Amino acid sequence: MEIAIQQLINGIQLGAVYALIAVGYTMVYGVVKMINFAHGDVYMVGAYLAFAVTAAVAGGRLGTGQGLLLFVVGLLAAMVGCALLGGLIERVAYRPLRNQPRLVALTTAIGVSLLLENLMQIIAGPNPRPFPALIPAYQVDLGGVFLNVRFLVALAVALGMMAFLHYLVMRTRIGKAMRAVAFDLDAARLMGIDVNRVIAATFMLGSALAAAAGVLVGVTYSRIDPFMGILPGLKAFVAAVLGGIGNIPGAMVGGLIMGLAEVAVASVRSELTHAVAFLILIAVLLFKPTGLLGERVYDKV
């Protein structure tokens, strides 16, 4: 029983990270109807930005309070840096192609992804790097269930950010503008909404959340590399499809299901850990292409 509870919490923690990345995919798709395959690499850049900010200071011995303070500084630096990177990518690579066929934007996204990976190899080197131990790896005993403090902090931060995103989208002026643009871009423009500004804000917000996910993974697993965004990026995309691409609550639910499924499969057959995501994708496309919370959209002829 204790093992099942422990695996459940591990699955929720991993799923929360997938959900943070998946939200970026689904927000961009909801607003401009494109799949930003460079999103997983923005997650990688976020981890490296936090590493760059914290590694020099964390070289010495840190107390618990100092480590947590440095973790917050690294997290904020990564989110701000990747928000600017997301805005730059949207302005330079995607906005000039907004009226082109979707395949053009998709190809450009793949090009941006490869560009980020290769630039990071040039800047930081191709080899993996140990992420600073900003949070002590204490084990907390909860009635026979041993939980790592790093996992608990990552889970709390991820759930807090999803709650903040829900508030921002549903309760704030920019969130209402995002929903209006996602519902009907031309009508939103006629109503006086600055569509370019809203789309840029969407890219920036999604990139900031991806950066946070990268930092949480770096802190939890203590290792980063220039290709760390490929597989989690694909799994987060599957999570977005599972929840219903374009639907933010769906992306959160899809991410949590993905994390739980991966941990459950890994506890039985570890060699199938990565395959489960793509089995889920095939099942969704075969039996419910709109996803769990997605809505069927009919095109007028």
Side-chain angles (χ1 to χ4, degrees):
M1 186 62 183
E2 288 82 2
I3 294 176
I5 295 174
Q6 194 150 2
Q7 295 294 351
L8 177 66
I9 294 174
N10 291 343
I12 293 174
Q13 186 269 337
L14 181 62
V17 171
Y18 286 148
L20 281 181
I21 310 173
V23 162
Y25 276 110
T26 212
M27 287 175 66
V28 169
Y29 183 85
V31 171
V32 291
K33 301 295 181 290
M34 70 164 284
I35 305 296
N36 180 20
F37 276 117
H39 193 62
D41 294 288
V42 174
Y43 151 93
M44 174 271 295
V45 172
Y48 270 93
L49 282 175
F51 171 82
V53 170
T54 60
V57 182
R61 190 176 181 83
L62 292 174
T64 302
Q66 292 170 318
L68 286 174
L69 178 62
L70 203 54
F71 165 69
V72 173
V73 171
L75 183 66
L76 292 177
M79 292 180 71
V80 171
C82 283
L84 296 175
L85 176 64
L88 179 66
I89 291 173
E90 189 277 331
R91 181 65 185 87
V92 174
Y94 299 147
R95 189 180 299 182
L97 305 174
R98 194 174 296 162
N99 297 320
Q100 298 297 318
R102 292 183 187 179
L103 184 60
V104 176
L106 183 66
T107 307
T108 304
I110 295 172
V112 173
S113 170
L114 294 173
L115 176 66
L116 291 177
E117 288 168 15
N118 284 279
L119 280 178
M120 191 54 73
Q121 284 187 80
I122 294 171
I123 296 171
N127 297 323
R129 288 175 178 264
F131 199 86
L134 303 177
I135 301 174
Y138 294 145
Q139 298 282 344
V140 179
D141 183 1
L142 298 175
V145 179
F146 292 92
L147 300 176
N148 192 313
V149 172
R150 290 178 181 173
F151 279 67
L152 291 178
V153 171
L155 176 61
V157 171
L159 294 179
M161 285 191 177
M162 283 191 280
F164 170 73
L165 176 67
H166 181 75
Y167 172 80
L168 187 143
V169 171
M170 301 305 295
R171 300 291 182 183
T172 65
R173 189 181 182 87
I174 186 66
K176 291 177 183 175
M178 286 178 183
R179 285 187 284 141
V181 172
F183 186 74
D184 191 324
L185 188 145
D186 293 327
R189 183 182 286 118
L190 290 173
M191 294 299 292
I193 294 174
D194 187 341
V195 171
N196 287 331
R197 178 171 164 268
V198 172
I199 292 175
T202 303
F203 270 85
M204 294 176 73
L205 181 59
S207 300
L209 293 175
V215 177
L216 295 181
V217 168
V219 167
T220 306
Y221 298 102
S222 304
R223 179 181 179 276
I224 58 174
D225 66 78
F227 303 104
M228 63 179 283
I230 297 176
L231 208 49
L234 289 174
K235 290 177 182 176
F237 170 67
V238 174
V241 174
L242 172 62
I245 188 99
N247 186 305
I248 291 177
M252 296 177 183
V253 172
L256 292 174
I257 293 175
M258 182 68 64
L260 289 169
E262 189 171 314
V263 170
V265 171
S267 63
V268 181
R269 294 290 297 270
S270 59
E271 62 270 29
L272 295 177
T273 301
H274 300 311
V276 65
F278 305 103
L279 290 174
I280 290 175
L281 177 62
I282 293 170
V284 170
L285 293 178
L286 284 176
F287 300 108
K288 193 166 177 53
T290 56
L292 297 176
L293 302 183
E295 296 179 358
R296 187 180 294 275
V297 177
Y298 296 95
D299 289 331
K300 294 180 180 178
V301 178

